Amino acid sequence: MPANETAPPVKKKGRRARLIVLVLVLALVAGLGYGAYWSVDGVRASFPQTTGSLKVPGLTGTVDVKRDAHGIPQLYADNDDDLFRAQGFVHAQDRFWEMDVRRHMTSGRLSEMFGSGQVETDAFLRTLGWRQVAQAEFDTKLSPETKKYLQAYADGVNAYLKGKSGKDLSVEHAALKLSDDYQPEQWSPVDSVAWLKAMAWDLRGNMQDEIDRALMATKLSQAQIDELYPPYPYDRNKPIVEGGKLDGGKYTPQGVTGSGSGTGAGSGSGSGGNTVGGQTSTVTGPIGAPANGPANGLADNVAAQGATVGLRTQLGSLADTLDKIPAILGPNGSGIGSNSWVVSGKYTTTGKPLLANDPHLSPQLPSVWYQMGLHCRAVSAQCQYDVAGYTFSGMPGVVIGHNADIAWGMTNLGADVTDLYLEQVKPEGYVYDNKVLPFTTREEVIKVAGGDSKKITVRTTNNGPLVSDRSEELGTVGSRAPVASSAPDRGDGYAVALRWTALDPGKSMDAVFKLDRAKTFDDFRKAAADFEVPSQNLIYADNKGPNGNIGYQAPGRIPVRGQGDGRMPAPGWDSKYAWKGAKDGNAGYIPQNEMPWDQNPSRGYIVTANQAVVEPGTGAGKYPNLLTTDWGYGARSQRINDLIEAKIKDGGRISTDDMRTMQMDNSSEIAALLTPMLAKIEVSDPGVRAAQKLLDGWNYTQESDSAAAAYFNAVWRNILKLSFGDKMPKELRIEGSCMSVVGNGTGPADDLAKTVRECGTRGSDSAQPDGGDRWFEVVRRLVKDEKSPWWTSPRTVTLPAATNRDELFARAMRDARWELTAKLGKDQSTWSWGRLHQLTLKNQTIGTEGPGFMQWLLNRGPWDVGGGEATVNATGWNASSGYGVTWVPSMRMVVNLNDLDKSRWINLTGASGHAYNAHYTDQTTMWAKGELLEWPFGKDAVDKATVDTLTLKPEGAGS
């Protein structure tokens, strides 16, 4: 059935939507005429063989592929090379279309598949140079063992591709074959390494906040911006690590005196990080101004108003360019995150640790994850792996999961690993410390399906590539940007460079294999030292000792800055603002030995859910190095802390099913704060009063069938719109949201000012206010001031102006009542949160902007779901754009360290990427209900669960 629309239709900007172009659509339409591949036989032609035997070139022995009733494979081999060769083969069987699109995206070659509509996206990706960095990693950084595994994996993929094309691979490949005689090329090891760059891009940290703050400065005062980016509430929401200390270049957790601390030097070579002194950093002056300069954001006393307008246009263009880059993992904003926690055996029913993880990513079809087991029949020096968990199609190894000895999970650490630099450009180069340096340049040729190739030149400064070269508007970024009076002459304008840790070659691929075979906490920490990008919170559990052990490590490359704190674009012409790991620096990143970690804390559990890692400062129990000032605000993490504490109070213990129940917790922190206030608002309209009564006795949980949750979330959305959204610059408001403003939005509101119509330009994924837990904290702080200027809204044709909090809340309640009447009907008894808050799974190319009948064929849903923004069951939605689900727990797992065969897992979709395969979305309904599948690991348990066995044999083996 069709999905209920929850917002006015707007044109979605780029990202995954722009992977579909006209040539592919026409080919699919033509394919219907041929009747070639939408027939039953045509669709099934690409389904994998799952029984019998197949010969695979390069194998030295047989590999058994045992699939359970959900098509989840467990692989058994006698040596590492055969194991990873088979993994590549099986990944390609189920997911090659996904793999093929990914590698074209990471290398900036989407135009080769989809035509001229992707040239601009390719040009931006070539400018970033993901593929070049991946090649450098493979050539210069990765261990010989890792390179051998990558080659074996690539050989397995290519063994599968041999002799196949078109409909033998997927219905999507069949379409490309018809349109342009497309033939996939061979898989290479670097194709796998480059995937980590896409992962890092989507988890890159606070770049969007950096842009948004600068855009806000064109319309809001610095004091107002600070109100919208409040400090982290350390007094209420606990950080991950408490009470440790950094001394003598080494971090030591509270209560740990030496065990498990040997990790090597990690990725940094310097003597320390940025000192924050216990204070949240704020912007206090124009770009390039001294630290004690005027406290008025980007504009100082000599900055012209026109400069502010120029910056507004230019940074808005940058935001638009970023919106066009495919985000494989999901939106990059304050709401996106993940949950993981681990409980010591002294508080579990099993007597050994339980570990839970659910990364929150974009809903995709197929899911970004692929469940798999990689087993050596006998673990030895020749065959080192016995591991199972979640993998990425296109990359060898297991990313999250467990082996026979340890389990681990991940959430995004959220460190600030990107900075934008304004660069003064001259015809002969760029200015740096009063000298003109030549650009480093390279030429790139973009091949275009059905068209002429395009040549681009990539220019790079010592702060990184010039991203402004890839947009007409960005070509003048900085032309009128407010800067300190000491800045160099702007000439024709400043360009913008991007400094990002992922553009330096690293060893993250080594870390994957080290994690997969780790046996102890020391092994785990040594593996984490190589997990440089993206920077993740890593949690740990093992079953050794009376209660097992639990632990945590914050790895990753975190830059050591000179001046500045990464909250605003920096002056690239001044070496004092350069990262000390830049080409002319020598301090590097924060050394791994200085990064926070923990082992067996006295509280008996560790929670990571994108909250602050550690409280900053220089006093007892505080941390002096700057990781970021833009943490998530801890709503989910503190709720998990509270649930654990409530369960273990008075000697209680936690079971595997308790962990699952916690993952599905739907409680809303903002509802608990605001509902009592809303209940006291005097309303005269009978319809609004009836809706208000829905909140009576509500327990603030967002179940799918809850009418109260539907009404509250509609009120919350309208509160945000009236109090904050309508006061944002147009570049942050949702595209198509129009309002009347005075002049250009920056002039004086005097009697001579003219009113003009101004419409929002931001895409639906990143429009503000998005309603995430930053906005929870904003409202929590402001709600006590009933007469705050934020609680004002102008009069309308039918309503007087709102001049205080209660008047604005009353208007929001009215607007929400009539919004839900339009969406769900007048009868409140039929209202439910799930009818508003729906999940539709879309094929990530044709299913986004293809013809309606193609979307119907390839997409699935909708599912009515519970949960919500910044809840533990984080089915996120952007309050600026509507109620539809924009990110989800992309998988859920609970690992039982007492009996690994009693662990549980689920995926968002299914194992298969082939539409109409039985395992395309066979886990989704269970996922929506909060159910978990059995997760067999030991051979006996796997054999019991096996329904199909495929034997892969060497080429020379008998039939």
Side-chain angles (χ1 to χ4, degrees):
M1 63 181 180
N4 291 332
E5 295 294 333
T6 60
V10 295
K11 181 180 177 183
K12 185 175 176 70
K13 290 187 178 182
R15 291 194 170 181
R16 298 157 303 280
R18 296 201 179 201
L19 295 182
I20 180 64
V21 292
L22 184 61
V23 64
L24 183 54
V25 173
L26 293 176
L28 289 165
V29 174
L32 290 174
Y34 281 93
Y37 56 89
W38 288 117
S39 66
V40 173
D41 288 343
V43 169
R44 289 180 175 173
S46 59
F47 287 7
Q49 178 180 334
T50 60
T51 60
S53 64
L54 288 171
K55 292 183 179 180
V56 176
L59 286 179
T60 61
T62 62
V63 179
D64 292 323
V65 182
K66 300 183 178 185
R67 285 181 167 90
D68 66 11
H70 294 279
I72 300 169
Q74 305 280 343
L75 279 54
Y76 290 84
D78 291 320
N79 61 72
D80 294 339
D81 283 1
D82 282 356
L83 190 61
F84 293 117
R85 184 173 282 104
Q87 185 182 20
F89 187 92
V90 173
H91 272 166
Q93 277 189 307
D94 280 328
R95 298 284 191 92
F96 185 69
W97 171 254
E98 176 190 22
M99 294 164 61
D100 204 13
V101 172
R102 275 184 189 169
R103 67 164 164 180
H104 280 79
M105 190 272 285
T106 58
S107 59
R109 296 170 54 204
L110 291 168
S111 300
E112 294 180 23
M113 296 183 79
F114 302 116
S116 60
Q118 296 304 301
V119 169
E120 289 186 9
T121 297
D122 283 345
F124 192 90
L125 293 168
R126 298 282 186 100
T127 299
L128 293 179
W130 292 354
R131 178 75 183 195
Q132 284 75 16
V133 179
Q135 185 70 58
E137 287 183 357
F138 185 82
D139 293 340
T140 67
K141 294 291 184 179
L142 298 181
S143 70
E145 184 179 54
T146 294
K147 291 198 274 191
K148 183 176 71 168
Y149 296 157
L150 288 163
Q151 187 62 60
Y153 181 90
D155 291 344
V157 176
N158 293 328
Y160 175 75
L161 293 178
K162 187 177 181 180
K164 293 184 176 67
S165 65
K167 70 177 184 179
D168 298 327
L169 296 170
S170 71
V171 292
E172 296 94 338
H173 280 107
L176 291 184
K177 182 75 172 175
L178 281 173
S179 67
D180 200 43
D181 198 29
Y182 175 80
Q183 179 66 34
E185 64 189 36
Q186 294 279 287
W187 193 266
S188 79
V190 179
D191 291 333
S192 297
V193 179
W195 164 237
L196 288 171
K197 300 304 165 189
M199 220 180 123
W201 176 257
D202 283 359
L203 301 174
R204 63 190 177 270
N206 77 335
M207 183 190 293
Q208 195 67 61
D209 288 327
E210 188 175 338
I211 294 169
D212 287 356
R213 277 189 289 262
L215 286 168
M216 287 179 186
T218 67
K219 191 169 184 179
L220 304 176
S221 71
Q222 187 60 48
Q224 290 173 313
I225 296 171
D226 289 344
E227 286 183 308
L228 301 186
Y229 286 88
Y232 184 90
Y234 290 98
D235 59 333
R236 192 176 68 254
N237 295 343
K238 297 178 182 177
I240 298 170
V241 176
E242 298 178 274
K245 64 179 181 179
L246 179 60
D247 186 25
K250 185 176 182 180
Y251 184 86
T252 303
Q254 186 177 51
V256 175
T257 58
S259 69
S261 61
T263 65
S267 59
S269 59
S271 57
N274 311 285
T275 299
V276 295
Q279 302 296 319
T280 300
S281 300
T282 57
V283 178
T284 57
I287 295 170
N292 60 354
N296 61 349
L298 289 177
D300 66 5
N301 294 330
V302 300
Q305 188 180 77
T308 301
V309 176
L311 178 64
R312 178 179 184 176
T313 300
Q314 295 145 10
L315 288 177
S317 179
L318 176 56
D320 181 61
T321 299
L322 296 177
D323 252 354
K324 295 176 183 179
I325 306 306
I328 288 183
L329 301 183
N332 185 274
S334 63
I336 197 80
S338 303
N339 302 322
S340 67
W341 66 94
V342 59
V343 181
S344 167
K346 65 183 179 181
Y347 292 126
T348 68
T349 58
T350 67
K352 298 292 184 181
L354 294 171
L355 185 150
N357 196 191
D358 55 288
H360 306 157
L361 305 172
S362 175
Q364 299 185 28
L365 184 59
S367 165
V368 70
W369 299 108
Y370 184 91
Q371 296 151 287
M372 179 178 270
L374 301 172
H375 307 278
C376 291
R377 294 188 180 99
V379 176
S380 66
Q382 290 72 41
C383 201
Q384 305 175 73
Y385 296 89
D386 187 17
V387 60
Y390 294 85
T391 72
F392 287 134
S393 302
M395 198 176 94
V398 169
V399 178
I400 295 175
H402 70 82
N403 58 33
D405 297 289
I406 76 164
W408 67 95
M410 298 183 189
T411 62
N412 195 29
L413 192 147
D416 185 356
V417 296
T418 59
D419 279 340
L420 298 173
Y421 284 89
L422 297 182
E423 304 282 2
Q424 188 192 29
V425 174
K426 301 283 188 179
E428 64 274 24
Y430 62 98
V431 175
Y432 194 72
D433 283 347
N434 298 315
K435 298 178 181 178
V436 178
L437 303 180
F439 291 109
T440 300
T441 63
R442 70 176 188 272
E443 286 193 346
E444 298 269 357
V445 177
I446 299 172
K447 297 180 181 179
V448 182
D452 296 332
S453 297
K454 305 293 183 182
K455 182 184 292 186
I456 66 168
T457 299
V458 177
R459 301 189 295 172
T460 301
T461 74
N462 56 12
N463 290 314
L466 287 187
V467 292
S468 53
D469 282 351
R470 300 279 63 88
S471 164
E472 288 184 10
E473 284 185 304
L474 280 174
T476 59
V477 164
S479 63
R480 299 166 71 187
V483 293
S485 57
S486 59
D489 177 64
R490 67 180 76 243
D492 291 331
Y494 301 131
V496 177
L498 171 65
R499 185 79 168 95
W500 177 32
T501 56
L503 298 185
D504 294 337
K507 299 185 289 184
S508 294
M509 199 69 236
D510 283 346
V512 173
F513 297 111
K514 289 181 179 179
L515 280 173
D516 285 357
R517 61 176 184 262
K519 296 182 180 298
T520 67
F521 188 56
D522 277 354
D523 291 344
F524 166 81
R525 293 194 64 217
K526 289 174 183 175
D530 287 339
F531 209 108
E532 296 164 333
V533 291
S535 186
Q536 299 288 287
N537 295 307
L538 297 179
I539 60 168
Y540 167 93
D542 67 38
N543 58 10
K544 299 171 180 64
N547 301 120
N549 298 286
I550 64 174
Y552 164 81
Q553 177 68 61
R557 284 179 171 164
I558 315 298
V560 178
R561 294 174 174 86
Q563 292 187 15
D565 60 8
R567 289 170 59 86
M568 285 281 196
W573 52 81
D574 189 340
S575 63
K576 293 191 296 292
Y577 289 83
W579 289 9
K580 294 186 179 179
K583 292 179 181 178
D584 59 342
N586 56 15
Y589 302 103
I590 297 175
Q592 184 65 25
N593 278 342
E594 295 188 10
M595 293 293 286
W597 61 281
D598 208 352
Q599 184 181 24
N600 295 327
S602 59
R603 64 183 176 274
Y605 60 89
I606 300 170
V607 176
T608 83
N610 315 110
Q611 79 271 39
V613 170
V614 64
E615 186 170 358
T618 56
K622 296 185 178 181
Y623 185 74
N625 292 340
L626 176 63
L627 302 178
T628 187
T629 61
D630 288 310
W631 303 110
Y633 282 78
R636 284 179 288 108
S637 62
Q638 193 56 44
R639 176 61 177 172
I640 297 167
N641 276 303
D642 292 344
L643 290 171
I644 294 172
E645 286 288 347
K647 193 68 181 178
I648 65 178
K649 185 176 62 175
D650 300 326
R653 289 180 176 267
I654 294 174
S655 68
T656 301
D657 196 57
D658 290 331
M659 300 283 275
R660 180 198 66 81
T661 301
M662 291 178 192
Q663 288 179 324
M664 295 302 294
D665 182 80
N666 289 328
S667 177
S668 169
E669 178 186 287
I670 194 64
L673 175 69
L674 296 183
T675 299
M677 299 179 188
L678 298 175
K680 296 176 182 178
I681 300 291
E682 293 187 9
V683 294
S684 57
D685 187 296
V688 179
R689 193 162 58 247
Q692 184 184 37
K693 288 185 177 298
L694 292 173
L695 303 178
D696 292 348
W698 180 45
N699 64 357
Y700 318 131
T701 60
Q702 300 168 97
E703 303 297 336
S704 174
D705 60 358
S706 172
Y711 181 59
F712 172 80
N713 282 317
V715 174
W716 170 237
R717 181 184 180 217
N718 281 278
I719 287 174
L720 291 170
K721 177 180 183 296
L722 293 169
S723 55
F724 306 107
D726 290 348
K727 300 175 179 71
M728 292 285 174
K730 65 181 181 179
E731 293 83 5
L732 271 69
R733 298 201 312 269
I734 184 72
E735 185 178 14
S737 170
C738 300
M739 57 188 294
S740 296
V741 298
V742 176
N744 59 12
T746 63
D750 56 28
D751 292 342
L752 298 182
K754 294 182 179 179
T755 299
V756 298
R757 193 73 168 159
E758 182 186 79
C759 296
T761 62
R762 183 62 67 85
S764 60
D765 281 348
S766 56
Q768 294 295 331
D770 62 15
D773 64 355
R774 173 166 67 88
W775 293 100
F776 289 12
E777 190 64 20
V778 169
V779 170
R780 179 184 294 278
R781 289 168 176 265
L782 292 175
V783 78
K784 299 173 186 177
D785 181 2
E786 297 181 22
K787 296 188 179 296
S788 166
W790 293 108
W791 305 130
T792 61
S793 186
R795 66 179 176 84
T796 68
V797 174
T798 59
L799 294 172
T803 62
N804 59 48
R805 182 196 68 195
D806 287 355
E807 289 176 359
L808 186 139
F809 281 13
R811 183 183 291 188
M813 292 170 71
R814 176 190 180 278
D815 291 350
R817 172 64 172 92
W818 302 118
E819 180 185 6
L820 294 197
T821 297
K823 292 179 181 297
L824 303 180
K826 187 175 182 180
D827 184 357
Q828 293 177 186
S829 68
T830 68
W831 289 4
S832 70
W833 175 227
R835 287 181 61 201
L836 280 178
H837 190 53
Q838 293 186 321
L839 169 67
T840 298
L841 295 173
K842 296 183 178 182
N843 177 287
Q844 290 304 296
T845 50
I846 304 165
T848 53
E849 284 192 350
F853 75 91
M854 292 304 307
Q855 296 185 36
W856 179 81
L857 287 169
L858 295 176
N859 296 344
R860 299 292 182 269
W863 284 265
D864 296 353
V865 298
E869 185 66 31
T871 64
V872 181
N873 181 24
T875 54
W877 54 287
N878 186 311
S880 287
S881 57
Y883 303 97
V885 176
T886 55
W887 50 79
V888 294
S890 56
M891 62 78 157
R892 299 186 185 101
M893 75 175 192
V894 179
V895 181
N896 182 330
L897 273 296
N898 182 61
D899 185 348
L900 293 172
D901 290 329
K902 292 184 179 178
S903 302
R904 299 290 183 266
W905 61 352
I906 198 77
N907 205 350
L908 174 63
T909 62
S912 180
H914 300 288
Y916 299 99
N917 185 281
H919 305 306
Y920 193 45
T921 56
D922 61 335
Q923 298 185 50
T924 308
T925 297
M926 292 179 287
W927 172 93
K929 294 178 179 178
E931 299 173 1
L932 300 176
L933 296 173
E934 293 184 357
W935 183 355
F937 179 72
K939 188 176 184 306
D940 290 344
V942 169
D943 286 345
K944 184 178 179 181
T946 297
V947 296
D948 286 337
T949 299
L950 173 68
T951 301
L952 304 180
K953 298 181 177 182
E955 273 192 309
S959 60

